[in-house]
Amino acid sequence: MSTSAGRRASTPAEDGQHAASAVHDLLASFIRLTPRDMSLTSVSTLSTLNRTGPRRITELAASEGVTQPSVTALVASLVRDGFVERLSDPADRRVVMVAITKEGEAYLRDRRAASTEIFAEAVEKLSAEEAATLTAALPVVERLRDVVDELRSLRQGQAREKRQSEPDA
């Protein structure tokens, strides 16, 4: 724990809060720079389908943290745009699954390439020492991403359990 003139040493918890705040602010700034041709919820839904494969509307609503009617409307819009398609569940023909299309996958690839270019442009403005520090930190950043994904899954499971345990009103 280092100190500056007139400042006390910070605790690990304070360091963690400072790091979390800095990463949050970086992500918020980065999101503002990315193309705005689709809502963040739509992009998140496409990303979920790309990562996890076909899902039921109810599963998408839970994973994206929005209501089922909202996801139904969102899926209708994404179907119209050709980014997702509705499929029958082979195990139960009554169930409708939502899957990303080749066009949806291409959209995500193009969006990621544009976002990566913006980030690369920012990294180029760092000094060689700063860029080397960032490169050295990549394993920690990747591990942090995995931890956040684990927390997200855990919280989604807890929310699902809570909804299932609540009596119908």
Side-chain angles (χ1 to χ4, degrees):
M1 289 184 249
S2 62
T3 60
S4 300
R7 294 180 62 193
R8 67 174 178 77
S10 58
T11 66
E14 290 169 333
D15 288 344
Q17 282 295 108
H18 184 222
S21 178
V23 170
H24 178 272
D25 291 349
L26 172 63
L27 291 174
S29 294
F30 186 66
I31 287 168
R32 284 190 289 273
L33 281 174
T34 56
R36 292 294 188 141
D37 56 345
M38 184 182 288
S39 74
L40 292 177
T41 304
S42 295
V43 173
S44 178
T45 300
L46 283 178
S47 295
T48 296
L49 291 170
N50 192 50
R51 188 178 64 256
T52 65
R55 309 275 301 262
R56 293 176 179 214
I57 293 281
T58 54
E59 294 171 331
L60 277 176
S63 71
E64 302 309 311
V66 296
T67 65
Q68 188 172 338
S70 294
V71 169
T72 299
L74 178 89
V75 166
S77 174
L78 291 171
V79 167
R80 271 193 311 276
D81 293 340
F83 294 135
V84 302
E85 60 186 343
R86 291 184 175 98
L87 306 170
S88 295
D89 184 346
D92 183 348
R93 293 274 186 219
R94 297 169 297 176
V95 174
V96 175
M97 304 292 284
V98 180
I100 192 168
T101 62
K102 295 292 181 198
E103 291 83 3
E105 291 173 352
Y107 173 83
L108 285 178
R109 267 193 315 277
D110 292 347
R111 185 179 176 97
R112 178 169 281 141
S115 296
T116 300
E117 182 60 34
I118 292 167
F119 194 78
E121 187 179 327
V123 170
E124 287 174 6
K125 300 206 179 291
L126 299 177
S127 70
E129 182 181 335
E130 290 167 330
T133 300
L134 180 61
T135 299
L138 287 178
V140 175
V141 171
E142 290 168 345
R143 172 69 179 122
L144 185 59
R145 179 202 57 219
D146 293 344
V147 168
V148 169
D149 285 346
E150 290 168 12
L151 288 172
R152 181 179 182 207
S153 293
L154 177 65
R155 288 186 178 165
Q156 288 169 349
Q158 290 169 341
R160 190 176 313 112
E161 288 173 10
K162 181 180 179 190
R163 283 192 307 275
Q164 291 171 348
S165 68
E166 291 176 348
D168 291 334

